[in-house]
Amino acid sequence: MDIKSLDLFSQEFHQNPYDYYSKIRPHQPFAKVKMFNEGEQHSWMAFTYEAAVAVLKDQRFIKDMRSVFPDVTDENLPPISQSMLFVDPPDHRRLRSLVQSGFTPKRIARLRGRIEEIAREQAWLMRNKGTVDFIEEYAFPIPIRVICELLGIPSEDRLDFQRWSNVMVEMSDNSIYDEAMIEFMAYLEKVIEKKRVSPKEDLLSDLIQAEEGGDRLTVSELYGVVMLLIVAGHETTVNLIANGLLALLTHPAQLALLKEDHTLVALAIEELLRFNGPVEFSTDRWAKESFTFMGQKVEKGDHVIVSLASADHDPSAFTDPSILDITREKSPHLAFGKGIHYCLGAPLARLEGEIALRVLLEEYPCLSLAVELNELEWRQSLIIRGLKQLPIKLY
Ligand code: HEM
């Protein structure tokens, strides 16, 4: 396949990107692709597992634009760019360490009971409805309610979070983006000020305390980390649950296996992350200097991203990658990334995914797709792989 004809924004591509990747990967492990529909911006993309891991671990591909583009300053970057995901060491280490202790597998395991309650409640709320948009009614509310409770902010405002996050991960006009950021910031300002006056036992109160301490977190970094946790905390897991269900509904033998034996759910989640994971592409990286990488001449300032989805379907890393096998053991998938920016929320996402899927199958063992597969529409995003809606019949 001629890589020049790859249109990352077409519905054809989104319907089955894995087909496109399998044609590109053997000839172009690391290659330049056209990024946007308009303009001529080309970026490097890693397609093979080997190239993906190499990019994610190579410290010459940096995250902070300010280090390569002197005209980019704090003022013209959104606050989320001051969060751990968009900076390099030593700031990265400092920012990550402030929240890391709240996301260890041990701390997250304590949330099991509460996540189960939330999933059960959301499942019951669908009870009298025959057909639902699974994303709106189940996949979306669970992770957003959990992250709001962890942070200690009201989850009633979740539709606003959804709107702001959508703008951040989808391709939006600059004016729409700017407007959403102003609203998001104004909202956070109110919530943070309230919390300063009456702190509670939650993550936001801890972060405010770190900021007030003065030397560990600046005000804009505080906004950045809260934004990152809200966006990363739900855009991703929503689509793990929804893409995961779609993969199972389209592979009835695998679904039957899981229904028969719910103890397979943890393994199933790993396979669903690999097979149709929610984060299709890594976030942006930039070449800090000019150098030769995988036989290609990369110039200082070049934009680089990794197709995690392509890497996770690379036959050199996975046997029969196009087969969904929920009993696949020891999957070294890259759905949570690799290297220093490896997903902080992975233990939480795994637990939410497991519980959401198990509770769903317990409450609704007969569910099915309510539309034809080719009627499903995928969102236009250069990060997330997710559906606009997933209509399902519950009974
Ligand atoms: C299935 C769900 C999720 C997936 C597939 C996922 C995937 C990822 C990936 C691929 C990265 C690295 C991006 C890169 O290197 O460019 C990342 C980073 C991150 N994720 Fe997740 N994520 C998920 C859920 C979550 C949740 C629930 C949270 C938090 C509550 C979270 C918080 C973060 C944070 C803070 C980072 C930045 C880490 C750093 O820069 O050190 N994620 N995630």
Side-chain angles (χ1 to χ4, degrees):
M1 185 193 154
D2 181 5
I3 202 160
K4 289 200 190 96
S5 61
L6 178 68
D7 179 358
L8 297 170
F9 297 96
S10 68
Q11 273 302 318
E12 282 115 281
F13 171 73
H14 290 305
Q15 289 291 344
N16 191 356
Y18 309 108
D19 244 13
Y20 284 82
Y21 292 140
S22 68
K23 290 182 189 128
I24 296 170
R25 207 172 31 231
H27 318 287
Q28 315 258 17
F30 179 73
K32 274 209 161 162
V33 295
K34 191 167 172 215
M35 288 305 284
F36 300 104
N37 289 335
E38 283 154 30
E40 278 307 308
Q41 192 194 328
H42 283 71
S43 306
W44 292 104
M45 192 176 279
F47 290 102
T48 58
Y49 190 87
E50 186 195 2
V53 170
V55 169
L56 295 173
K57 290 175 86 170
D58 195 321
Q59 305 267 318
R60 290 170 300 182
F61 294 121
I62 58 170
K63 304 277 319 178
D64 194 337
M65 290 178 85
R66 291 167 296 190
S67 310
V68 264
F69 304 111
D71 50 332
V72 176
T73 58
D74 293 2
E75 286 72 48
N76 46 33
L77 279 177
I80 199 163
S81 303
Q82 311 237 352
S83 70
M84 71 189 92
L85 186 52
F86 301 97
V87 298
D88 302 295
D91 285 337
H92 173 261
R93 212 167 309 126
R94 172 176 57 86
L95 294 173
R96 185 163 168 130
S97 69
L98 285 171
V99 278
Q100 186 132 30
S101 61
F103 288 90
T104 58
K106 217 165 150 194
R107 282 287 286 274
I108 292 300
R110 287 192 218 148
L111 302 176
R112 181 175 279 280
R114 181 63 189 135
I115 298 174
E116 172 112 19
E117 262 171 27
I118 293 176
R120 205 64 74 179
E121 259 173 48
Q122 292 303 142
W124 288 340
L125 284 172
M126 300 193 286
R127 207 56 339 163
N128 297 320
K129 306 179 181 173
T131 301
V132 292
D133 172 13
F134 177 72
I135 296 181
E136 187 182 334
E137 303 275 342
Y138 192 77
F140 173 68
I142 299 173
I144 194 69
R145 284 180 65 184
V146 173
I147 195 68
C148 285
E149 286 192 13
L150 267 178
L151 280 164
I153 58 180
S155 69
E156 291 75 48
D157 304 319
R158 60 183 181 240
L159 290 181
D160 284 327
F161 298 153
Q162 186 178 33
R163 197 161 44 83
W164 299 325
S165 311
N166 282 352
V167 169
M168 288 165 93
V169 302
E170 292 184 4
M171 305 307 299
S172 309
D173 282 1
N174 284 349
S175 60
I176 297 177
Y177 183 92
D178 291 347
E179 202 181 305
M181 284 311 95
I182 290 169
E183 281 181 35
F184 199 171
M185 285 293 286
Y187 172 84
L188 287 181
E189 209 169 305
K190 262 199 248 152
V191 173
I192 289 173
E193 288 323 310
K194 238 188 192 168
K195 191 72 75 180
R196 271 191 211 285
V197 180
S198 48
K200 302 255 159 48
E201 279 208 6
D202 53 44
L203 192 53
L204 184 54
S205 302
D206 292 351
L207 288 167
I208 290 173
Q209 210 179 13
E211 183 259 314
E212 286 174 346
D215 53 347
R216 290 193 296 153
L217 191 68
T218 66
V219 182
S220 37
E221 287 168 346
L222 170 65
Y223 280 84
V225 68
V226 178
M227 270 187 174
L228 175 65
L229 291 174
I230 291 175
V231 177
H234 80 282
E235 275 290 353
T236 50
T237 316
V238 177
N239 298 305
L240 165 62
I241 300 169
N243 296 359
L245 178 65
L246 177 65
L248 289 169
L249 291 174
T250 49
H251 294 79
Q254 294 293 302
L255 179 58
L257 198 61
L258 185 57
K259 277 191 204 161
E260 233 167 72
D261 181 1
H262 285 187
T263 63
L264 284 175
V265 73
L267 269 187
I269 287 293
E270 294 310 304
E271 176 65 346
L272 295 168
L273 280 160
R274 182 197 72 79
F275 185 78
N276 198 16
V279 179
E280 182 160 358
F281 302 103
S282 71
T283 51
D284 303 330
R285 280 163 173 73
W286 310 91
K288 186 172 136 192
E289 59 202 44
S290 300
F291 60 101
T292 302
F293 182 80
M294 301 212 60
Q296 306 277 11
K297 188 88 187 86
V298 174
E299 301 294 339
K300 179 177 178 182
D302 277 359
H303 180 225
V304 184
I305 58 178
V306 171
S307 172
L308 302 169
S310 177
D312 280 346
H313 281 247
D314 184 343
S316 70
F318 303 93
T319 315
D320 296 329
S322 57
I323 290 178
L324 178 74
D325 174 4
I326 61 162
T327 62
R328 200 184 279 270
E329 300 270 1
K330 287 209 188 97
S331 173
H333 67 72
L334 299 181
F336 290 119
K338 186 111 192 152
I340 61 168
H341 294 281
Y342 181 81
C343 179
L344 177 86
L348 177 60
R350 286 186 160 117
L351 187 63
E352 288 177 343
E354 276 174 41
I355 294 174
L357 206 52
R358 183 177 43 74
V359 167
L360 180 74
L361 296 181
E362 281 168 10
E363 299 286 340
Y364 301 100
C366 299
L367 31 82
S368 58
L369 254 186
V371 293
E372 293 300 322
L373 202 53
N374 61 10
E375 288 175 65
L376 295 173
E377 249 192 279
W378 294 88
R379 288 167 60 189
Q380 296 268 17
S381 169
L382 259 186
I383 304 179
I384 294 294
R385 173 159 177 76
L387 290 162
K388 289 189 177 166
Q389 290 182 325
L390 179 55
I392 58 163
K393 287 190 210 143
L394 294 171
Y395 303 102

